[in-house]
Every structure is written in C-alpha cells, then in structure tokens.
C-alpha cells in the first residue's frame, strides 16, 4: 500500500501485478506520459464516451470528457478515456434501435475487460443512454451517467422551433403549400443551432431525465444545455463523485431497485416523456433482475398528471425547462403529492428525498404545480390490450387528439412504411379521415430493429382538406418528438405471426383508450382461417450482426433486448494471459 491507498482494488490486478505482467501493463501505459505514481492503488476510472461526428447529438462529448477527467484527478483518481460506438438516430439506417443491444454489449465487455474500478458514461442521442446503462448494469461496477445536454432552443421567424417536432410540422406545411422548399431549407439551420441532443421532450431528453429519476445521474444535470458552462461543471462534479462511489462500493445494483424504476415510470408520465422509455426501462430492468411488466407503465401512472409543458405535447423546450427548475422541481412536486418513493439511494449517496429537498419551481408555465397541472392525471402513456395486441401496445395520450381516443374505423393496411409512403401523396388514395392506417412489419424482427416510423404523415389530400390527425396502428416505434393518435409497439409483431399480420383492408378496428382496448372486429373463426393461410416472411439475413439480432431479439413488451443478455454477469477480473 502506498500513501494509504488500497492495493486490493480491481485495477490492481493489472497495475499492481508483480513481474513481467505488471511491467507490461504499466510500461505501455507510461507511453502516454503517466508517471509511476499513478499506479499506486488509486481508483482507476473509465470515461466511456460515445463522441462521434456520425452522431451529431454526441459530437461534443470529447469536451465533456475533459471536464469529467478534471474531476477525477481532483478527487485523487486516475481517469482513462475510451471510445464506444454511438447509436445516433439522426443518420443510422435502418434505425439506431437495431444497434442499441450491440452498443450495450460493447460497453459491458469494454468495462469488464479493462483495469477499471468505476466508470462515467457519456451519452447523448436516444439509444446511447439506455445502451450504456444496460451495459454498465450487467457489469455492476460503480457507474454514473453524464448526458451531453439538449441544444439551445431553435429559433425561426420569431418563434421557438423544436428539433424533430417541427420536422413533422414543416413537412405538413410543405405538402399543403404553406411553406416553400427555400423556406424549409432555411428553417433546417434554425432548428439545430448548437451542440446537444433534441431540445424537445423527445427520447433523448426523456432518457436523460429517466437516468436522473433512476438515481444514475447527478440531480439537475439532465437539463443543462450542452453549451452552458454548467454542463461542464456537472461533468466535473460527476468525475469527483465517481471516485467517492468507488470508495463506497456504490454499484448500480444498489441504485436500480424496483422503487427506482417505479419513480422513473411516474416521472416519465409527469414530464410527458417518450413512449420509447417503456422499451428502454423494460430492457434495463431485465439486466438487474427487477420484474417490470408492460402493465406497470399503465397502473403506476394513472394518478400522475402531466406537469411539464414541453413540445411535442406542449409549448416550451428543454432550455426553458432547465431555467424553470429542471427535473428536481418536478420530482419535488411529485414527492409532495406522495407520488414518488423518497427513500431510494442515488449516485450522490443520498436519497431521492434528500436530493430534492431544496428544489423549487421558477414560474408556473413550464413546470406546473401538482394541484394545477398542465394536463390532468391519466393523460400519460396508456397500455392497450385486445385481440390485435395480445401482449400489449402503447399510446401517448398527451400527444394524441382527444376525439380520436375512442374510434372505430376501417383498416387500410400497408405491409411496410415504404409501401405507405409510395402512395401517400396520391390524390386518388382510397383513405378518408375515419380510416385506421395500419403499418406492419416494422417491429424488432420484421424491419429489423423497430424503427421510428409509426407516425407516418397523413395523406396529402387529407392534409390539404384540413385534417390534422388520424388513428395509426403499427408494430414499430415513434420518435419522442412526434405526435398524433398513434398506437405503437403492437406485440407480438406481424413478422412473428402476431394478429397484425392478419388484418385486411376494410376490417373494422376499434380503439378504446379509456378502456385500454385495441381490437379487430373480425370473428375468431375468420381470424383462425387467415392464420392457417399465413406464412412467415423469408429470412433475409444469413450472417453478421443483423442475423444475430433477428435470431435473438425479444418482443417489444420484453424491451427488445437479447434474451442472452438479461441479467448481470458481474465484474470478475478476466484471467491474465501474460
């Protein structure tokens, strides 16, 4: 032991080794300019960064990593930065969700294979946050999340515009002639005007808030804009804190409890968060052995009102949310109404109640009070069941049209999103405002990867006629920045023989959100006959990662994780081959 430092740390199996092995590990590290004193038993902290210019939301994380490393040095640790893949929804095809599980595998194995005592996880775009949490949870070394922060508010012709949300709005304006191509091109540069992830309450902002609600991110850090100096202060504080977590042996398994997940589900309802949180939280729970069913996402939120007035459900953006008090203010309101558990421990070493003791709302428009909410209780995510979704489906009520939450209409079926897009602008398309648009083969196996395609734009002829919303049903996902009366995550998906595969044009589809039902008004005998005629789609992949994915991915109600990745595999030190 040197200077009172521990020699039994995990990293000392490398850097404290005797003979040839120790010499190899230390000498190669010293080519970076490290002196011998850094191998004295101090905590070695991995700084996992998903920085990539191919993931614009994460491109600035290299600078965030520098701030984290300053904090680690301050607290007496040794920071070692390493790259991970980045699953950026903005560029990756066919969808970043196809690669979430691959990133989770990579993060898990990199942490386990290297001389680390703890890790700071730097994420940004939608899938990087859950992927990193999933990987870290399966290793169960002390870990803290640092998300990269939202972009500054978009500005176009004197109004705030939201990333993603206004993509859909501008598309509609373009189709109806309210906007020219030139105006749309100019608006692109107004929408994303700084580093950071989406500044709407899309999936990136949602998962940053969810990480904080789970206790895996420092209080208040989900909302600071990416370019605000306090984003770097937060990162530096996380670097200091992870060293303390190593000393305290505060691991994800102590933080990610059933009560923590219940808090996260309720917080997601209160912020008007993305439906994608359902899939990511379910997958993460599977990594730590917490039983979480799809029904929990309905039962736990019925008494929770929507408190946050942010796009796509509301008016404001993440920058406004930050200045209004951020997530601690929301959690304090929920705690005051006894809608959260105050006892779960967090990465601070303190409880949820202690972390939010001094939180306050600034103003009343962005974060509303529990007794005067933005939307009443029961307007969060609803979980549906019925003969069209035996294993469940979800709908975001706060982003839907109230008059369509109870609806019966004839199905118009498309076997892929592309098939719909080919005819969506046809003025002769046989669809009216009462039609239920059914998009299938967009699930985990069918697409593959379950893309964010469910909120297909309305047919051009209906947009021009003034129709603003229609019921859409799909086994895929929807961007958290999207809106509309869209039933998502229908399980089982069509590609594995779910009932969605049996729907035909003209079949009556009944959506009854108040009674949590989605059904096909076709008798059982007819459905059984159709099932006898149904044949599964031919396998398209014979090798590579996509083959692995389609063979092992679970359905949406199970989190679309790989079955073989469920559970924790621990952090036992691998054997020394030197």
């Amino acid at each position: 032991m040197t200077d009172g430092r521990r020699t039994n740390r995990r990293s000392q199996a490398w850097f404290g080794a005797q003979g040839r092995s120790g010499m190899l590990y230390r000498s190669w590290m010293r080519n970076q300019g490290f002196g011998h004193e850094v191998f004295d038993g101090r905590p070695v902290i991995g700084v996992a960064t998903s920085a990539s210019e191919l993931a614009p939301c994460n491109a600035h994380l290299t600078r965030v990593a520098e701030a984290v490393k300053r904090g680690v040095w301050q607290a007496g640790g040794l920071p070692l930065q390493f790259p991970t893949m980045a699953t950026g929804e903005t560029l990756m095809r066919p969808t970043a969700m196809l690669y979430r599980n691959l990133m989770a595998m990579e993060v898990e194995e990199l942490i386990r294979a290297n001389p680390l005592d703890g890790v700071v996880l730097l994420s940004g775009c939608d899938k990087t946050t859950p992927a990193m949490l999933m990987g870290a949870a399966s290793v169960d070394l002390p870990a803290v999340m640092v998300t990269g922060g939202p972009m500054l508010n978009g500005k176009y012709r004197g109004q705030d515009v939201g990333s993603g949300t206004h993509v859909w709005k501008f598309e509609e304006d373009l189709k109806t002639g309210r906007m020219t191509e030139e105006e749309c091109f100019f608006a692109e540069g107004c929408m994303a005007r700084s580093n950071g992830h989406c500044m709407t309450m899309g999936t990136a902002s949602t998962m940053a808030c969810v990480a904080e609600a789970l206790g895996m991110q420092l209080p208040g850090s989900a909302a600071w804009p990416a370019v605000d100096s306090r984003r770097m202060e937060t990162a530096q504080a996380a670097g200091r804190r992870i060293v303390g977590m190593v000393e305290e042996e505060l691991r994800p398994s102590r933080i990610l409890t059933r009560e923590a997940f219940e808090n996260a589900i309720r917080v997601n309802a209160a912020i008007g968060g993305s439906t994608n949180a359902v899939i990511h939280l379910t997958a993460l729970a599977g990594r730590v052995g917490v039983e979480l069913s799809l029904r929990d996402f309905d039962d736990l939120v019925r008494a929770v009102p929507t408190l946050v007035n942010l796009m796509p459900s509301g008016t404001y953006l993440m920058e406004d949310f930050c200045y209004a008090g951020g997530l601690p203010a929301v959690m304090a309101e929920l705690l005051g109404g006894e809608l959260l558990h105050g006892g779960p421990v967090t990465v601070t070493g303190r409880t949820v109640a202690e972390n939010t003791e001094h939180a306050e709302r600034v103003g009343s428009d962005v974060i509303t009070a529990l007794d005067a909410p933005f939307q009443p209780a029961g307007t969060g995510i609803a979980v549906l069941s019925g003969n069209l979704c035996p294993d469940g489906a979800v709908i975001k009520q706060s982003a839907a049209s109230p008059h369509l939450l109870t609806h019966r209409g004839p199905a118009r079926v498309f076997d892929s999103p592309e098939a719909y897009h080919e005819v969506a602008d046809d003025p002769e398309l046989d669809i009216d405002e009462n039609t239920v648009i059914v998009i299938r083969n967009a699930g985990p196996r069918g697409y593959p990867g379950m893309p964010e395609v469910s909120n297909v734009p309305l047919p051009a002829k209906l947009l021009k006629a003034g129709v603003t919303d229609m019921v859409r049903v799909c086994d895929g996902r929807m961007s958290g920045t999207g809106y509309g009366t869209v039933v998502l995550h229908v399980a089982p998906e069509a590609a594995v023989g779910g009932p969605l595969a049996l729907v035909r044009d003209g079949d009556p589809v009944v959506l009854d959100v108040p009674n949590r039902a989605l059904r096909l008004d076709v008798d059982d005998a007819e459905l059984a006959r159709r099932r006898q005629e149904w044949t599964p789609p031919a396998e398209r992949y014979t090798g590579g990662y996509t083959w692995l994915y389609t063979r092992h991915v679970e359905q949406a109600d199970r989190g679309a994780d790989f079955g073989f990745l469920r559970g924790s595999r621990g952090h036992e030190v691998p054997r020394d081959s030197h």
Side-chain angles (χ1 to χ4, degrees):
M1 185 176 291
T2 305
D3 296 331
R5 297 185 184 277
R6 286 170 49 181
T7 57
N8 63 342
R9 296 194 194 283
R10 185 176 184 275
S11 58
Q12 283 297 291
W14 284 263
F15 298 140
Q18 301 298 310
R20 180 176 62 183
S21 292
M23 186 181 299
L24 281 168
Y25 295 129
R26 293 187 297 269
S27 64
W28 259 261
M29 287 297 294
R30 292 184 69 173
N31 81 346
Q32 299 177 73
F34 293 121
H36 68 88
E37 68 278 0
V38 302
F39 306 114
D40 59 1
R42 68 185 66 194
V44 178
I45 305 300
V47 182
T49 172
S50 55
S52 170
E53 291 181 348
L54 287 172
C57 305
N58 297 32
H60 65 298
L61 290 178
T62 300
R63 296 196 299 278
V64 179
E66 291 300 320
V68 172
K69 288 156 70 175
R70 287 197 301 268
V72 174
W73 284 118
Q74 281 181 329
L78 169 61
L80 297 175
Q81 180 177 330
F82 64 94
T84 70
M85 68 181 292
T87 50
E89 192 67 65
T90 55
L91 295 182
M92 295 187 88
R93 292 185 179 184
T95 170
M97 185 63 179
L98 177 63
Y99 302 103
R100 184 202 64 179
N101 297 348
L102 179 60
M103 183 179 180
M105 290 173 68
E106 182 197 35
V107 169
E108 174 183 349
E109 298 304 333
L110 284 173
I111 294 172
R112 185 179 295 111
N114 283 292
L116 302 177
D117 302 305
V119 62
V120 179
L121 309 166
L122 304 187
S123 69
C125 197
D126 304 16
K127 313 306 174 294
T128 54
T129 299
M132 285 183 150
L133 288 174
M134 289 160 66
S138 288
V139 185
D140 202 29
L141 282 174
V144 60
M145 172 66 70
V146 177
T147 49
M151 295 182 282
L152 297 176
N153 289 1
K155 300 286 183 180
Y156 175 67
R157 292 187 169 178
Q159 65 171 318
D160 282 348
V161 297
S163 51
T165 299
H166 271 81
V167 169
W168 325 127
K169 291 183 184 296
F170 290 155
E171 180 185 40
E172 292 172 0
D173 288 346
L174 195 60
K175 285 190 173 186
T176 55
R178 295 190 296 264
M179 193 177 215
T180 67
E181 289 278 3
E182 291 76 14
E183 288 170 332
C184 196
F185 185 75
F186 178 78
E188 290 177 10
C190 304
M191 193 181 309
R193 64 187 187 94
S194 79
N195 286 138
H197 58 66
C198 285
M199 83 301 275
T200 52
M201 189 53 78
T203 308
S205 295
T206 294
M207 293 311 298
C209 291
V210 162
E212 187 174 324
L214 284 167
M216 290 297 295
Q217 182 158 220
L218 293 180
S221 60
W224 287 117
V227 294
D228 194 302
S229 62
R230 287 161 290 191
R231 170 61 50 191
M232 299 305 172
E233 286 184 29
T234 296
Q236 190 164 329
R240 292 194 301 270
R241 180 58 197 144
I242 189 62
V243 176
M245 291 174 67
V246 170
E247 299 287 357
E248 298 159 20
E249 297 189 353
L250 180 53
R251 306 182 189 279
S253 56
R254 286 181 53 196
I255 296 170
L256 296 173
T257 62
R258 167 73 190 194
E259 287 189 338
F261 280 98
E262 291 184 0
N263 281 352
I265 290 170
R266 289 184 171 131
V267 163
N268 189 57
I271 63 177
S274 170
T275 51
N276 289 302
V278 177
I279 281 185
H280 299 318
L281 280 171
T282 303
L284 180 60
R287 297 300 186 98
V288 293
V290 169
E291 289 297 323
L292 206 62
S293 73
L294 202 55
R295 185 55 53 190
D296 289 325
F297 289 87
D298 196 308
D299 295 342
L300 289 168
V301 305
R302 286 181 180 253
V304 180
T306 304
L307 300 181
V308 178
N309 180 9
L310 258 63
M311 298 180 195
S313 301
T315 304
Y316 296 97
L317 295 166
M318 283 295 289
E319 190 178 349
D320 309 302
F321 178 60
C322 177
Y323 306 149
L327 197 69
V330 176
M331 295 182 73
E333 282 292 314
L334 295 176
L335 279 164
E338 299 184 346
L339 291 170
L340 286 188
H341 303 289
V345 69
T346 71
V347 291
T348 65
R350 301 188 299 274
T351 65
V352 169
E354 290 169 333
N355 285 345
T356 57
E357 184 179 2
H358 302 294
E360 60 178 342
R361 292 183 302 115
V362 179
S364 59
D365 291 340
V366 182
I367 302 173
T368 60
L370 198 62
D371 58 2
F374 171 58
Q375 294 192 22
T379 54
I381 292 171
V383 176
L384 311 177
S385 60
N387 69 347
L388 200 47
C389 54
D391 294 335
V394 302
I395 186 170
K396 185 175 180 178
Q397 296 179 84
S398 62
S401 298
H403 73 281
L404 290 175
L405 294 178
T406 302
H407 182 79
R408 186 180 193 274
R412 182 68 163 83
V413 183
F414 298 90
D415 285 330
S416 69
E418 292 80 8
Y420 172 77
H421 289 296
E422 286 177 5
V423 299
D425 293 336
D426 183 352
E428 303 301 319
L429 182 63
D430 184 22
I431 285 181
D432 64 29
E433 62 189 86
N434 294 312
T435 302
V436 175
I437 297 175
V438 175
I439 308 288
R440 60 191 178 199
N441 298 313
R445 293 189 186 179
Y447 200 74
M450 204 179 179
E452 295 180 341
V453 296
S454 299
N455 59 321
V456 293
L458 305 192
K461 73 172 190 178
L462 296 183
L463 286 171
K464 291 174 181 176
V467 178
T468 58
D469 197 8
M470 293 174 65
V471 175
R472 284 150 282 178
V473 177
C474 185
D475 47 11
R477 297 179 301 116
M478 177 174 79
S479 168
T481 66
Y483 53 87
T485 309
V486 189
V487 178
L488 312 155
H489 310 181
V490 172
E493 63 178 302
V496 299
L500 205 63
L502 309 180
V503 183
R504 295 184 178 176
D505 286 345
D507 286 348
V509 175
V510 178
L511 173 63
D512 185 358
V513 175
N515 291 305
R516 301 301 193 259
L518 176 70
R519 67 178 187 273
L520 196 64
D521 268 357
V522 175
D523 66 66
D524 292 342
E526 172 61 17
L527 291 177
R529 188 186 66 78
R530 292 181 190 180
R531 181 165 297 285
Q532 289 295 320
E533 295 176 352
W534 180 80
T535 56
E539 287 197 26
R540 287 182 285 165
Y541 307 99
T542 58
Y545 173 72
T546 307
W547 173 85
L548 177 75
Y549 182 94
T550 53
R551 284 295 181 95
H552 294 283
V553 69
E554 298 182 320
Q555 288 295 290
D557 62 301
R558 298 268 291 172
D561 199 3
F562 292 152
F564 63 81
L565 290 179
R566 295 177 70 85
S568 174
R569 283 156 290 285
H571 48 264
E572 182 179 347
V573 175
R575 288 184 295 178
D576 187 353
S577 61
H578 296 105

